[in-house]
Amino acid sequence: MSTLTKPNHIGRKISRIRELRDMKQEALAQALGTNQQAISAMENSETIDEEKLMEVAKALGVTPEAIKNFSEEAMINYFNNNFYDNSHSTVGNTLCTFNPLDKVVELYERLVQAEKDKVEYLEKLLKGK
């Protein structure tokens, strides 16, 4: 008898996706309106009904198909292929053709300029008195 996890064990797939999302069982339970023990039981179940799978997928921020098709090998390939080339960034499933840090710096520069403009305006008001 093999001790390997069955490839279609939905509960284990949910558990791994939850762990990859850095989510505790308690947080998933809260999102689903249940308790941690129910999540533990679900993650030990080989199957799950479609309606519950859709709720779990929504709480995890993935599609039901992503849970059904999840595999460790696919995740390793995804990370190897998407993080090896640093010329582009990925946000969710969207490929960014810009550097998100550049956008953050740009935003801060605009905020600093807005504050400078406010100070200048207030100084003019004070001088007018």
Side-chain angles (χ1 to χ4, degrees), residues 7-114:
N8 290 326
H9 195 291
I10 296 296
R12 295 278 182 254
K13 291 178 179 187
I14 291 170
S15 175
R16 286 298 295 140
I17 293 170
R18 177 184 55 75
E19 291 167 355
L20 288 168
R21 310 259 317 145
D22 199 26
M23 182 184 276
K24 301 264 185 219
Q25 284 184 339
E26 293 84 7
L28 182 56
Q30 186 175 10
L32 295 174
T34 188
N35 58 34
Q36 181 270 328
Q37 291 81 6
I39 299 301
S40 179
M42 178 183 60
E43 290 180 352
N44 286 315
S45 297
E46 193 171 321
T47 60
I48 184 173
D49 64 77
E50 282 296 315
E51 188 176 317
K52 190 67 167 176
L53 182 63
M54 288 173 53
E55 291 175 24
V56 171
K58 184 176 179 181
L60 291 172
V62 298
T63 63
E65 291 75 28
I67 294 174
K68 290 177 186 176
N69 298 325
F70 177 83
S71 75
E72 296 287 334
E73 286 180 31
M75 286 306 298
I76 291 168
N77 288 336
Y78 173 81
F79 283 109
N80 284 342
N81 292 334
N82 288 313
F83 295 107
Y84 181 72
D85 179 10
N86 290 331
S87 64
H88 292 37
S89 298
T90 56
V91 177
N93 290 334
T94 307
L95 179 65
C96 297
T97 56
F98 59 87
N99 184 345
L101 289 178
D102 290 342
K103 295 295 181 182
V104 171
V105 169
E106 199 176 294
L107 174 64
Y108 277 113
E109 287 173 347
R110 286 195 316 235
L111 290 171
V112 167
Q113 186 59 49

